């Protein structure tokens, strides 16, 4: 039986793939269980400097499996899905959601738990909780307004409508969009550009941003100075490599 979330280790980075393409990668407890396992394993894997999460087949994910909701899911504990996404969000390395095709509701909550979203030009996003008389419990009410602002979050949540890649970029939901035929190449290039930099700096920056998010500017500036983690073990090597390289480079 194929993994519901597959892992492929590449040169310095890992690709996690939601792998229920016959069901448009609709999210189940089983998928979250496998995602959680991967997150735990990746947390202390120093060989991995960047994580990319995407979907197999036609889309990232159509969202929480409605059949599973109707039948009554049995997660290990209340808040377990949200806790899993928080664990992914706090990985000490960059996490990118690479979205093509559908990314609705629960799937959008998953993508929002990444550090940022890269999108193909065929992507569509939406929050349909209100369409089904549901309320968010995986983080939508907290992460969406932080990403796009409260009014835009309310518009998306109240209308239950969908938006395309260009609108997602315009409102700041995603960083940028590329043509679908270039999507795989862009994922590779983006991951390589991240892994080329210091994993120490990435981890320290994530902790700094997490600690000061939403706080007063002066408090954040003070935290940045007083709680600085200094420089990483690779600083001297990196500077030396730059200062001694041939000028023709």
């Amino acid at each position: 039986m194929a993994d519901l979330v597959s892992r492929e280790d590449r040169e310095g980075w890992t690709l996690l793939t939601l792998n229920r393409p016959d069901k448009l990668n609709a999210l189940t407890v089983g998928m979250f269980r496998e995602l959680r396992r991967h997150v735990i394993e990746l947390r202390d894997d120093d060989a991995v400097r960047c994580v990319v999460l995407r979907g197999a087949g036609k889309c990232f994910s159509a969202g929480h499996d409605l059949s599973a909701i109707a039948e009554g899911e049995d997660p290990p504990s209340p808040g377990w899905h949200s806790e899993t996404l928080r664990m992914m969000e706090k990985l000490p390395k960059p996490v990118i959601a690479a979205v093509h095709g559908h990314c609705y509701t629960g799937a959008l909550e998953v993508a929002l738990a990444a550090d940022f979203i890269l999108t193909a030009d065929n992507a569509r996003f939406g929050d349909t909780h209100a369409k089904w008389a549901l309320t968010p419990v995986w983080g939508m009410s907290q992460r969406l307004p932080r990403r796009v602002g409260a009014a835009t979050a309310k518009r998306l949540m109240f209308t239950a409508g969908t938006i395309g890649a260009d609108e997602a970029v315009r409102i700041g939901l995603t960083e940028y969009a590329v043509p679908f035929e270039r999507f795989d190449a862009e994922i590779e290039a983006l991951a390589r550009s991240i892994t080329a930099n210091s994993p120490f700096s990435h981890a320290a920056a994530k902790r700094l941003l997490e600690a000061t998010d939403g706080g007063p500017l002066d408090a954040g500036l003070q935290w940045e100075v007083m709680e600085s983690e200094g420089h990483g073990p690779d600083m001297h090597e990196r500077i030396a490599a730059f200062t001694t390289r041939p000028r023709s480079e």
Side-chain angles (χ1 to χ4, degrees):
M1 182 179 294
D3 293 336
L4 294 174
V5 180
S6 65
R7 173 176 172 174
E8 180 184 348
D9 291 329
R10 301 194 178 181
E11 190 173 347
W13 63 283
T14 289
L15 178 66
L16 296 181
T17 303
L18 304 175
N19 194 32
R20 275 185 92 204
D22 57 320
K23 299 294 185 181
L24 298 180
N25 301 318
L27 300 163
T28 63
V29 169
M31 292 182 77
F32 262 76
R33 186 173 286 112
E34 292 192 18
L35 177 62
R36 189 185 185 99
R37 173 174 57 82
H38 287 307
V39 167
I40 291 171
E41 291 173 352
L42 286 164
R43 193 159 48 196
D44 299 316
D45 191 339
D46 293 336
V48 178
R49 298 184 174 192
C50 175
V51 179
V52 177
L53 179 65
R54 68 170 306 177
K58 297 179 179 179
C59 67
F60 181 77
S61 170
H64 197 168
D65 191 316
L66 292 176
S67 297
I69 295 175
E71 293 169 4
E73 290 186 306
D74 187 24
S77 63
W80 178 81
H81 292 87
S82 180
E83 180 183 74
T84 300
L85 295 181
R86 185 66 171 140
M87 290 167 62
M88 183 178 78
E89 186 173 45
K90 294 186 74 173
L91 278 174
K93 54 200 76 189
V95 179
I96 297 98
V99 174
H100 73 291
H102 308 311
C103 183
Y104 302 144
T105 319
L108 181 53
E109 290 176 294
V110 171
L112 284 166
D115 290 306
F116 62 86
I117 301 171
L118 164 69
T119 180
D121 60 1
N122 69 346
R124 294 201 66 81
F125 300 86
D127 175 23
T128 62
H129 280 102
K131 185 175 181 179
W132 311 114
L134 299 170
T135 55
V137 291
W138 295 359
M140 185 76 77
S141 69
Q142 300 306 301
R143 294 189 180 94
L144 185 60
R146 283 172 167 80
R147 190 70 60 93
V148 303
T152 299
K154 289 175 181 179
R155 171 170 64 86
L156 295 173
M157 296 173 77
F158 296 164
T159 63
T162 64
I163 61 172
D166 288 346
E167 175 70 359
V169 172
R170 187 191 70 79
I171 65 175
L173 177 61
T174 69
E175 289 305 297
Y176 62 99
V178 297
F180 179 67
E181 57 269 21
R182 286 177 32 214
F183 196 46
D184 289 348
E186 185 62 26
I187 291 171
E188 180 84 24
L190 179 61
R192 285 181 177 274
S193 71
I194 290 171
T195 58
N197 297 314
S198 171
F200 171 87
S201 294
H202 291 328
K206 285 194 69 168
R207 286 188 288 267
L208 175 61
L209 292 166
E210 168 81 17
T212 59
D213 181 40
L217 175 61
D218 286 333
L221 292 171
Q222 184 76 0
W223 184 282
E224 185 180 73
V225 173
M226 300 305 295
E227 301 296 328
S228 171
E229 298 183 38
H231 61 77
D234 52 347
M235 183 195 76
H236 294 294
E237 178 184 353
R238 287 175 173 273
I239 292 176
F242 176 78
T243 57
T244 60
R245 68 180 182 176
R247 292 187 179 275
S248 60
E249 294 181 16

